[in-house]
Amino acid sequence: MKSHFGHALLIVAALAATGTADDSQKTLPPAAERFSTGDVKEVPDFRRHMVPLLGKLGCNSRACHGSFQGQGGFRLSLFGYDFKMDHEGLAERVDTDTPADSYAVQKALLEEPHKGGKRFDKNSWEYNLFVKWIAGGAETVDVEKSPRFERLEVTPAELRFQKDDEKLQLKVVAVWSDGSREDVTCLCRFQTNDEVIADISTTGEVASHQAGDTHVVVFYDNGVQPVPVIRPVSSQFGKNYPLVETNTKVDALVVEKLAKLGVMPSEIAGDTEFLRRVSLDMTGTLPSPKEIQEFVADKRSNKRALKVDELLSQPSYAAWWATRFADWTGNSDDQLNNVTPVRSQAAKDWYEWLRVRIEKNTPYDRIAEGFVLANSREDGESFMDYCKNMAPLYKKNPEGTYADRSTMPHYWARQNFRTPEDRAIAFAYNFLGIRIQCAQCHKHPFDQWTMDDFHEFKNFFVNTRFGGSPDYKDGAEKILKGLGVDAKLKGNNLRRELRTQIAEGVVTPFDEVWTAKPEAPKKDKKGKPVNSRNRAVREAKLLGEAEKTDLTQYDDPRQPLMDWMRNDKKQLFARSIVNRIWSCYFNIGIVEPPDDLSMANPPSNRALLDYLTTGFVASGYDLKWVHRQIANSATYQRTWAPNETNRLDERNFSHSIPRRVPAEVVMDALIAATSSDEEFSKLHQDVLDRNIAEVSAGARYNENASNYALSVFGRSIRESNCDCDRSKEPSLLQTVFLQNDSEIYNLIDRGKGGWINQVAADLDLRQTRTTQGRNGSNDARQAASLQAQINRAKEQLKKAQKSNQEKQVAQAERRLDGLRKALAKVRPQSPASSEVFTQKADPEKLHEAVRETYLRTLSREPKADEFDKAVAYVESSEDQLSGVRDLLWALLNTKEFIVNH
């Protein structure tokens, strides 16, 4: 009795929430009831009944007639929604005179051979519906004149379970623009997003399994409706949930969800754990030992909020987040070849343009506008003036910076961003966080987008071009004539000819991104259309909008796109960047993956994402507002250590999730940990030479030997429209690099600017070139590293020889020869001939060095047992400086160093 009462309450609550408790329009009972017998007079509707039935039966799936080749000469549109194509294909296989004898019906009954097997039984409701549609004339649907699908109403709106195999039935009502309503449960497709938590039958019955939370998703027509499923993991849920302090709105919304699940959040992290985490997440920089000690000693109650403000004001914040935004907007050196006259300069322009605006805290909508409405020329700038203004930026000793330009046209000049289709797909990923590529060829399986939506949306990207502007030819010829250069030269030949002049800052022709303004169709005096040379596309349609946009009404045909991004009811533009920023702090988005805000992939906490999105827009798209909301919350500041209720939680933010530090941050952390105090203290300010500000990216970049380490740790290759271009996964190669690569030993043993060098001076110890350590001599370590590099070089040589690339073969041979010579110089000596120094330091100073080793690597003081073991090892070393060095090396190789927690 109690469970039925709870179920009824859920339905009433759902009706109240969705406004469905309205008897003004009667809801039709399900087709399964209405067509349960064959004597019904109703004629099914092709769109409302037949197409969903084909989907329900699997006929238009990829494995059946929905494949691009079709099956047995019969093809349907994949997942439906191409009503014309589906009707034409089906009409050839039905007989309106004798409906029951129709070939399509006989196939489904398996009375004719059918690879898809039997799809329904004779006299079933599915059979009756199919036959009645044929008997009624097998009519299609006029999409323009018929009512539009508006929404799905699903009850219960949230499913709550308490035990294994508990079951609840969903009811799905479709609402149309004419006010008509129909129970379409029997015509819907269903899926679960986590079958370990719950699964759902073909009839919409949901069964509970393990404790936790997920969503089941309902599909009908163009509707996709997720329904939350919750089963508490403990008895402490609802009224039994303990009081948890929530001082921010973020915390209140997170705890509200945790209370439903019976999950208790972890404790607040200690000062050192918090400081390390926020420093790495916000600035990509380890806190220095001095910074850690000062923060721990600070007794102010608001010191964490003050630290957040301090970090947001550091140049390292802008440098690191510019790299993040360069990932998301597609700044790939591979795709920017020949966009500027200096190789790789376009990627640097792009990065610096972003960095300067993030440093100034330019509102995000204006940053995005700089991409969306970008043209190479400023307003009112002639072609000649444009070339004059570009020349100083690309000379050997540049004057000025591209960041002073108002927009970022390189975005439109990329080689993988030239066709309208590629642009629509990439733009949706870059600024909306959605994957619409499926809709290029068929109805999107997990979202509302159709083929028509995609192809009408892509028209926003047709009128912007790279190269060939209307006045380029005359302007370029004039400039080239003045330089005495043949105007007939094109491409690489022209670039080679102009290389010297460009380096000297001489004005040369520059290619440009430009946008054609569509003109309204012209007519003669008799009203007949007049041919126009203007080939610009005149109409486009925004995603989710019913009406097309007349582009002839705008000076820039992309302006309505930018206006829609700011004013779209769904706020995809704001939601996507808020979710992406959140994911950088928590290792998982509120929507995960962060670049898939499809309707079938709902947020784990919708109220939380709604709050952050609404607040972000209200703040004027202030990016620092988002960072402060996150970093100042108890949710972010919780420790990684789980309790019994949240140890399995990875999506509800009840504790911090340890995650591998990003590639650029790893390398900078290695540099910082091995740097002298003076060099360490500069890292927040001197950012442009750091890895977090390394602007070039792409597969070609990562293959460069000097960037091997960044490649090992998964730096983004920026080659596709996917956040997965950046890898967060650990690998054996990363372990080998940290243990054996010469780059690690060079950082530890460097002279000027190195911490070991500083320790040698502080402890009055002699820094030796060959010292005994826990893994043998330093020369032996270098030899092992060089041997590993030789092995890699041999593999590269084999690949080059196999592909007959003479230039690469020669380069590989030279590198191999150099490595072998280097190995010969550091080949380890026999123990008898190795030089060993016995050096002892002042015990107090030595203990301080041990403590600082922990502070500069793990950002904390050593625990008592760690301290005792470390001191014992260092003091027992014949060369105590070598002991400190070995301790530093060991800590750099711990999971705690490489992981943010």
Side-chain angles (χ1 to χ4, degrees), residues 92-299:
E92 296 176 354
R93 289 163 172 77
V94 300
D95 186 343
T96 55
D97 294 329
T98 55
D101 294 331
S102 296
Y103 187 57
V105 175
Q106 296 298 303
K107 280 273 193 178
L109 290 170
L110 205 55
E111 292 183 6
E112 289 283 347
H114 186 214
K115 287 184 179 180
K118 193 174 186 178
R119 307 318 299 165
F120 49 64
D121 293 318
K122 196 168 186 176
N123 297 322
S124 65
W125 73 266
E126 297 97 332
Y127 170 87
N128 293 333
L129 189 153
F130 204 154
V131 171
K132 282 295 179 182
W133 172 72
I134 300 170
E139 298 290 337
T140 185
V141 61
D142 187 336
V143 177
E144 298 298 326
K145 295 181 180 179
S146 61
R148 296 187 314 276
F149 170 80
E150 285 201 340
R151 68 184 183 277
L152 292 178
E153 294 176 353
V154 184
T155 52
E158 181 177 86
L159 300 168
R160 298 195 192 183
F161 294 106
Q162 295 185 30
K163 58 185 179 181
D164 287 349
D165 298 321
E166 189 177 356
K167 295 179 179 179
L168 285 173
Q169 175 65 46
L170 292 180
K171 178 181 178 181
V172 186
V173 173
V175 182
W176 300 83
S177 59
D178 62 354
S180 60
R181 303 165 56 85
E182 179 179 353
D183 184 334
V184 294
T185 309
C186 62
L187 291 167
C188 291
R189 292 182 294 113
F190 303 96
Q191 77 170 34
T192 176
N193 285 355
D194 190 342
E195 61 187 10
V196 173
I197 305 297
D199 61 26
I200 186 166
S201 71
T202 57
T203 61
E205 185 179 62
V206 184
S208 168
H209 297 311
Q210 289 187 12
D213 67 307
T214 185
H215 287 82
V216 291
V217 187
V218 182
F219 302 88
Y220 172 82
D221 193 82
N222 206 25
V224 181
Q225 184 65 45
V227 181
V229 177
I230 292 177
R231 180 181 168 189
V233 302
S234 75
S235 60
Q236 300 180 81
F237 68 92
K239 293 180 179 179
N240 296 326
Y241 194 72
L243 181 64
V244 176
E245 187 176 5
T246 55
N247 294 323
T248 71
K249 184 66 174 178
V250 167
D251 297 325
L253 293 171
V254 169
V255 169
E256 182 180 328
K257 173 73 181 290
L258 296 180
K260 293 179 181 180
L261 282 163
V263 171
M264 286 297 297
S266 292
E267 299 297 322
I268 300 298
D271 282 346
T272 56
E273 184 179 338
F274 164 76
L275 180 61
R276 187 177 203 269
R277 182 190 305 163
V278 74
S279 297
L280 289 172
D281 283 341
M282 193 169 279
T283 67
T285 308
L286 277 176
S288 69
K290 180 182 178 184
E291 190 180 356
I292 296 166
Q293 291 166 333
E294 289 177 348
F295 185 73
V296 171
D298 190 343
K299 301 304 179 186

Side-chain angles (χ1 to χ4, degrees), residues 364 428 431-434 448-449 543-545 561-580 591 594 597 603 606-621 625:
Y364 176 60
F431 296 110
L432 305 177
I434 59 176
Q448 69 187 77
W449 318 123
L543 290 173
E545 299 295 320
L561 181 61
M562 190 64 229
D563 294 342
W564 168 75
M565 287 164 64
R566 287 186 170 111
N567 301 308
D568 171 36
K569 292 178 182 177
K570 291 187 175 182
Q571 295 183 318
L572 279 173
F573 170 60
R575 289 171 81 83
S576 66
I577 196 61
V578 163
N579 186 58
R580 274 177 164 146
V591 174
L597 271 65
R606 186 176 296 278
L608 173 62
L609 186 55
D610 287 346
Y611 163 72
L612 289 170
T613 301
T614 303
F616 177 50
V617 174
S619 74
Y621 296 91
W625 180 89

Side-chain angles (χ1 to χ4, degrees), residues 321-332 336 347 350-351 353-354 358 364 367-368 370-372 408 410-412 414 416-417 426-427 429-431 573 577 580 716 718 720-721 723:
W321 284 92
T323 293
R324 288 294 203 179
F325 277 88
D327 283 352
W328 298 327
T329 53
N331 179 15
S332 172
L336 291 166
W350 189 324
Y351 172 83
W353 191 91
L354 278 169
I358 292 172
Y364 176 60
I367 294 176
F371 286 96
V372 179
M408 179 32 63
H410 300 342
Y411 176 78
W412 294 86
R414 290 172 291 162
N416 62 347
F417 198 74
F427 180 89
Y429 161 76
N430 299 147
F431 296 110
F573 170 60
I577 196 61
R580 274 177 164 146
S716 178
R718 299 179 190 165
S720 67
N721 300 304
D723 285 0

